Amino acid sequence: MKLNYVTRWTFSTSHKDMAMLYLMFGMVSAMVATGMSVLMRMELANGNSQFFYNNHQAFNVMVTGHAMAMMFLFVMPVLMGAFGNFFVPMLMGAVDMAFARLNNMSFWCLPPALVCVMVSVFMESGPGTGWTVYPPLSSMGSHSGPSVDLAMFALHLTTMSSLLGAMNFMVTMLNMRTMGMHMMNMPLFVWAMFFTAMLLLLSLPVLTAGVTLLLLDRNFNTGFYEVGAGGDPMLYEHLFWFFGHPEVYMLMMPGFGMMSHMVSTYSKKPMFGEVGMLYAMGSMGLLGFLVWSHHMYMVGLDMDSRAYFTSATMMMAVPTGMKMFSWLATLYGGEMRLGVPMLFALGFLFLFTMGGLTGVMLSNASMDVAFHDTYYVVGHFHYVLSMGALFSLMGAYYYWGPAMFGLNYNKVWAEMHFWLLFMSVNMMFLPMHFLGLNGQPRRMPDYPDAFMGWNYISSMGSAMSMMSVLAGLKSVLVQLENGTNEEFDTQVTPDFLEANLTRSNRDHALELMLSRPAEFHTFRELPMLVTPR
Amino acid sequence: MFSRILKQTVSKRTLTSSSRLFQAPTKVNSPTATKLAEVTGPDSSLIGPGAQPGTIPSNLDQATGLERFEMLGKMEGVDVFDMENPIFEGSGTMQDPYLVPTYVGYRYVGCMGKKGEEHRPYWLKVTCDEPARCWHSGVVFLGKYVGAPEHSHH
């Protein structure tokens, strides 16, 4: 039965269609969030007020909107929703997700969330709370009006979406693997999504509880976080970061999976230490739940807690190091091809390592006395996310894009996209470390003149990042409009053993040998993974 | 046709869908099978006994139909639907390739080597036309059409 356009894209239950919706939604959110970041950087381009007319609240509203849109409405929908939905069933030989209608419901929670965030930003004086929404700044006394409430509703909506998605992924992975495919045979991206789903499932309810109590405090006169009523704002911080820390691993973990696929394919070697990689991801997921208070060293934690959280956080470097060295060992001795996905992968390896090193510095409670709430922290997490999560996401787009659309990308535009992004993010975020070390506080739109030099360079980096976004959009446009059909051209994506031209007959990755784009139900007959008798 | 359905619906069970009416009645006289050998067909031998009063039913207590058939098989170590490895013919050489059952003329097969641990999964598109050989372990596969002859395009 042929569906009309509106019916197909509104009520679709196909994992591929849902993935496309997630991808388009993520792109819209990314534009919005990037716009906000540019506004912030333009304000900070020079001392004194540049754009916000000394309205510091407005600056902080941009901070909140940028963070929420980037994390909850761009990175998570694209990594989990788009690439997860499209490729998890395909990599396991399944025809679709386990709960196809739930998939649709999961997506349609997101557009209202984007609306809530936008309305929240533009309503009254906006939520100048940051994405952490700490009380008492977020309480009625400091943020009256419905703006913060709408931001909370947006969090609730994204939570619903993510929980439904996580359950769907887990059931799919546990029950819909094809014939002969055991858990240990699942590709690393599928494993990464499995751990991500577990993190989502275990941590999001805690956020929901924390945020709901805040809503009650704000609107129904409860006093969970009100000191005057016998409550404690620290409770919120613990609840929030018990979710918040696993959240950053949720943003990273799918990227780790994608990285493994890209590095292996473009080195023409199987992944080094695949089982080790999988255990590393598992232990990162577990450790992710045990380190949350390193975000709160400065709230007056006792010495023992700080000692524990410092040690536990430093332990995180072990599985991360395992992953990094496994990727390097895969590269070593391989026949490396510098295709566009590999450029993004190499960029990831280099820059994520830098972000990881500054993370080790920040994990130390005594060092954090100096670093807390400075631009050092902002530099750190942008190296990890803006260059870790984003680079893996972009790399995955170029790696799997031809399989998704059946169209080749234009290598010139794609490489231009990469190099502009690579230069701009470094120009933007490296100076932040110097500013932070010198004590420039985050979330402040003004600073002493001494900080002007590095701030100016950082803001120029931001302007360049706009150019990289435009190059990226042009790259996508060229791919969709002029992209040569994969079926009649030499494939862009190589496999690791033989020529591209044999891709459709044999490959190390199931998703790369299917027709491009794949058929509606992908497989006419279940593939089988066999151990010959 | 329509009037017959309507008559049946009204006379037997109002608001019952026609598909329900057309279902063949299930034989209910076969005792519940506890072993694979006792299964007599898609009948009540595959309906679980249910839980004892006051206890929580296990999966085995209440599973019915194909699920129960699969569980009975698993209890005896039998892969009743051949989900693990449906290849039964051939020895994997060029002269005697493994024959991969297919209903559509080709099938994606992931090879893991002879012992299943020789190499990571390596995927082949196995057709009925020419043998496909794993580049890691050298095992050879060939498609074997098992569908209805009139549907084959060979």
Side-chain angles (χ1 to χ4, degrees), chain A residues 100-372:
Chain A
R101 293 185 187 189
L102 205 64
N103 210 359
N104 180 289
M105 198 151 75
S106 179
F107 171 76
W108 284 108
C109 286
L110 286 181
L114 180 61
V115 172
C116 277
V117 168
M118 286 298 101
V119 173
S120 162
V121 163
F122 291 119
M123 182 174 275
E124 300 192 347
S125 55
T129 56
W131 80 287
T132 50
V133 207
Y134 284 167
L137 180 60
S138 60
S139 301
M140 267 301 174
S142 305
H143 273 88
S144 59
S147 191
V148 171
D149 296 320
L150 280 163
M152 310 270 92
F153 281 135
L155 284 183
H156 273 135
L157 284 166
T158 54
T159 299
M160 278 194 265
S161 165
S162 302
L163 280 179
L164 296 177
M167 289 186 270
N168 208 346
F169 275 117
M170 291 189 76
V171 175
T172 307
M173 288 167 207
L174 292 173
N175 287 315
M176 294 187 61
R177 299 185 311 276
T178 194
M179 304 171 91
M181 184 176 279
H182 297 199
M183 290 290 273
M184 291 306 284
N185 305 128
M186 292 198 310
L188 278 174
F189 177 65
V190 182
W191 267 110
M193 296 302 290
F194 184 76
F195 287 123
T196 312
M198 277 178 68
L199 289 177
L200 283 166
L201 216 54
L202 294 175
S203 72
L204 278 171
V206 181
L207 171 77
T208 307
V211 163
T212 306
L213 296 186
L214 185 60
L215 276 174
L216 294 176
D217 271 14
R218 287 175 54 81
N219 298 299
F220 298 99
N221 288 328
T222 56
F224 296 105
Y225 306 132
E226 291 289 341
V227 177
D232 189 351
M234 284 291 299
L235 170 64
Y236 178 85
E237 293 199 21
H238 279 294
L239 290 176
F240 181 83
W241 284 113
F242 189 77
F243 147 80
H245 196 75
E247 164 71 17
V248 298
Y249 289 96
M250 292 168 217
L251 296 171
M252 281 313 305
M253 206 83 86
F256 288 157
M258 293 163 177
M259 275 295 299
S260 302
H261 285 242
M262 288 187 272
V263 167
S264 157
T265 299
Y266 281 86
S267 302
K268 300 186 82 174
K269 272 174 73 185
M271 190 63 216
F272 178 89
E274 193 161 335
V275 180
M277 291 291 259
L278 138 68
Y279 277 99
M281 280 194 284
S283 49
M284 287 169 96
L286 179 68
L287 276 173
F289 278 103
L290 305 176
V291 296
W292 75 93
S293 285
H294 66 208
H295 299 269
M296 305 161 51
Y297 282 142
M298 302 301 289
V299 299
L301 290 181
D302 62 286
M303 185 64 98
D304 289 351
S305 304
R306 277 183 288 163
Y308 161 72
F309 282 108
T310 297
S311 340
T313 308
M314 283 185 174
M315 273 168 60
M316 193 66 89
V318 176
T320 316
M322 264 176 77
K323 297 197 73 66
M324 202 53 76
F325 284 114
S326 293
W327 286 319
L328 291 177
T330 309
L331 291 174
Y332 181 75
E335 191 184 309
M336 200 158 72
R337 298 190 201 182
L338 288 178
V340 177
M342 190 57 162
L343 291 178
F344 278 101
L346 293 176
F348 171 100
L349 289 180
F350 174 48
L351 300 173
F352 185 75
T353 305
M354 281 186 63
L357 291 177
T358 53
V360 176
M361 308 267 280
L362 285 167
S363 72
N364 192 320
S366 44
M367 310 262 280
D368 195 56
V369 176
F371 294 143
H372 186 85

Side-chain angles (χ1 to χ4, degrees), chain A residues 179-180 182 185 274 497-498 504-508 510 513-514 524-533, chain B residues 82-87 98 100 102-104 107-110 112-114 116 120 122-125 135:
Chain A
M179 304 171 91
H182 297 199
N185 305 128
E274 193 161 335
L497 266 182
E498 62 275 349
S504 57
N505 289 326
R506 53 179 90 89
D507 205 298
H508 71 293
L510 184 54
M513 62 187 300
L514 300 171
R524 295 191 185 186
E525 196 168 25
L526 280 184
M528 52 195 200
L529 187 57
V530 293
T531 302
R533 290 186 172 86
Chain B
D82 297 326
M83 288 300 283
E84 201 58 43
N85 188 354
I87 297 177
Y98 283 124
V100 177
T102 167
Y103 287 89
V104 292
R107 191 156 188 168
Y108 292 107
V109 176
M112 305 248 292
K114 275 279 185 184
R120 295 297 302 161
Y122 188 67
W123 292 92
L124 305 160
K125 185 176 183 177
W135 282 38

Side-chain angles (χ1 to χ4, degrees), chain A residues 407-481:
Chain A
L407 297 167
N408 270 331
Y409 54 84
N410 181 305
K411 284 182 192 165
V412 176
W413 278 107
E415 287 201 18
M416 200 185 297
H417 181 200
F418 168 75
W419 285 111
L420 278 171
L421 188 69
F422 184 83
M423 285 189 287
S424 66
V425 287
N426 278 297
M427 199 166 151
M428 201 171 0
F429 300 122
L430 191 64
M432 289 186 183
H433 293 93
F434 312 143
L435 293 165
L437 282 172
N438 282 300
Q440 186 184 336
R442 59 194 285 209
R443 294 176 177 160
M444 298 290 260
D446 202 358
Y447 50 80
D449 288 349
F451 292 141
M452 209 193 82
W454 286 123
N455 267 308
Y456 183 73
I457 291 175
S458 181
S459 292
M460 288 305 104
S462 173
M464 195 195 262
S465 80
M466 273 310 279
M467 285 156 48
S468 82
V469 169
L470 293 176
L473 284 177
K474 175 72 178 171
S475 169
V476 173
L477 190 70
V478 169
Q479 180 180 10
L480 296 185
E481 283 194 337

